Amino acid sequence: MQNNILKNGKKLRKDDLKNIVGGIGGGGGLGTPDLSLCGCSCTGAVTGPKYCVQYIACPQVITC
């Protein structure tokens, strides 16, 4: 079964690897995410930029 998956694969050259972009820090102009902007509200919701929910989780209830 594994051979079928790799049959159409292509080995990447060094130049190909340099052109791979994606994720939170690559290609889209977002830079490195600033996790200091992320936090939790008193209700347990993640606060800050949209990417914060990918990096932190908040307890259900925080006493404020």
Side-chain angles (χ1 to χ4, degrees), residues 20-57:
I20 294 175
V21 295
I24 192 88
L30 295 175
T32 304
D34 185 357
L35 299 182
S36 68
L37 300 174
C38 303
C40 297
S41 70
C42 293
T43 60
V46 176
T47 60
K50 289 182 181 181
Y51 59 75
C52 290
V53 294
Q54 296 176 1
Y55 292 96
I56 69 167

Side-chain angles (χ1 to χ4, degrees), residues 1-12:
M1 186 75 149
Q2 188 175 11
N3 288 341
N4 291 338
I5 294 171
L6 299 177
K7 187 169 90 172
N8 295 324
K10 173 186 171 188
K11 185 172 182 177
L12 297 175

